[in-house]
Amino acid sequence: MNNTIVTQPQALSIPMVIETSPHGERAYDLGSRLLQDRVIFLDAGFDDNMAHIIKQSLYYMDAQSREPITLYITSPGGSVHAGLGIADIVSMMKSPIHTVVLGIAASMGCYMQSTMGSKGMRLAGKRAQIMAHQVSSGTQGTLADQKISLAHSELLDEMLAREIANAVGVSYEQYKQDTVRDMWMTAEQALNYGTKGFIDGIIIGERNEDGKLLIERRGGVQEYI
């Protein structure tokens, strides 16, 4: 089967893939084609529109098979509620989730990376930057409503902090202390944080002939997965 990529002339171009087979040609937008390979690129801030697409994609792929789903994450964060909606979909799924940070996973991106990936399969590129911090409230409206919003933000912050602390292997108190301000980490620092790390391995080499990636785990242990 031969693949040809055609880029549509738009302000934000959406690549199209034309697959040629003995049965003829079929055209897909690249995102739809990647769903067949069980791949999702989360390349945006978390909002309701993005979460809507991600949740549908995850649900669809989980219904198709139980093969692993790879979620590539490049996100500065965003809406907590949008991210939690994705997290709830993942918690209902039987398919393993492999997470890979490319570039940046901050705030809700960090939460997604550290808590959603299957054991041993939370990965990051060697240039990746990961940032954890407290929930931002962004309260507005009347003083009474702002107090209600702030209390809700405090509940969200505690919930996320406890989940992340458990995922990375530190106490809730230690995690809260470390994230009083933005905590930026390189891939290596993220790997070695706590007893479990924000990631399980750093991608350090190209794919081998079997399509497996060379990664480095704690202690300098290298393997293909």
Side-chain angles (χ1 to χ4, degrees), residues 1-6 16-21 24-28:
M1 183 176 291
N2 298 320
N3 290 346
T4 303
I5 295 181
V6 179
M16 298 294 293
V17 176
I18 300 175
E19 291 190 343
T20 303
S21 72
E25 293 186 344
R26 296 184 65 182
Y28 305 85

Side-chain angles (χ1 to χ4, degrees), residues 80-225:
V80 172
H81 297 103
L84 292 178
I86 297 172
D88 280 341
I89 284 287
V90 171
S91 69
M92 302 175 193
M93 295 168 50
K94 293 185 178 180
S95 302
I97 300 291
H98 298 177
T99 53
V100 183
V101 175
L102 300 175
I104 181 175
S107 193
M108 278 309 293
C110 172
Y111 169 81
M112 191 67 57
Q113 165 64 24
S114 60
T115 65
M116 294 297 99
S118 300
K119 183 178 180 180
M121 298 305 299
R122 303 172 305 159
L123 309 177
K126 59 186 177 182
R127 301 172 184 82
Q129 303 290 304
I130 296 174
M131 188 271 278
H133 66 180
Q134 298 178 357
V135 168
S136 298
S137 62
T139 58
Q140 57 183 346
T142 67
L143 181 59
D145 285 340
Q146 288 187 55
K147 289 180 179 179
I148 292 171
S149 295
L150 183 57
H152 179 61
S153 295
E154 289 175 342
L155 289 174
L156 287 176
D157 185 66
E158 179 180 353
M159 179 177 69
L160 267 61
R162 289 191 182 282
E163 289 189 40
I164 295 174
N166 180 65
V168 302
V170 296
S171 68
Y172 168 75
E173 293 75 18
Q174 181 64 55
Y175 179 79
K176 289 291 289 181
Q177 178 180 327
D178 291 343
T179 55
V180 169
R181 306 294 297 179
D182 292 352
M183 180 170 70
W184 284 96
M185 295 165 283
T186 62
E188 184 176 359
Q189 290 169 331
L191 176 66
N192 292 296
Y193 181 83
T195 61
K196 302 176 184 177
F198 283 88
I199 60 175
D200 300 310
I202 301 171
I203 300 170
I204 59 172
E206 62 186 22
R207 295 184 185 277
N208 63 13
E209 293 181 355
D210 295 326
K212 295 183 177 181
L213 288 168
L214 179 62
I215 69 164
E216 182 171 300
R217 298 194 186 274
R218 284 194 175 204
V221 177
Q222 298 183 7
E223 65 173 314
Y224 281 96
I225 61 171

Side-chain angles (χ1 to χ4, degrees), residues 44-102:
F46 287 81
D47 60 28
D48 292 340
N49 290 330
M50 179 268 273
H52 177 68
I53 295 171
I54 300 298
K55 288 185 288 186
Q56 287 187 96
S57 299
L58 289 169
Y59 189 89
Y60 170 78
M61 286 189 286
D62 191 51
Q64 297 302 303
S65 81
R66 298 293 180 261
E67 292 297 314
I69 297 170
T70 302
L71 184 61
Y72 290 95
I73 301 172
T74 305
S75 177
S79 168
V80 172
H81 297 103
L84 292 178
I86 297 172
D88 280 341
I89 284 287
V90 171
S91 69
M92 302 175 193
M93 295 168 50
K94 293 185 178 180
S95 302
I97 300 291
H98 298 177
T99 53
V100 183
V101 175
L102 300 175

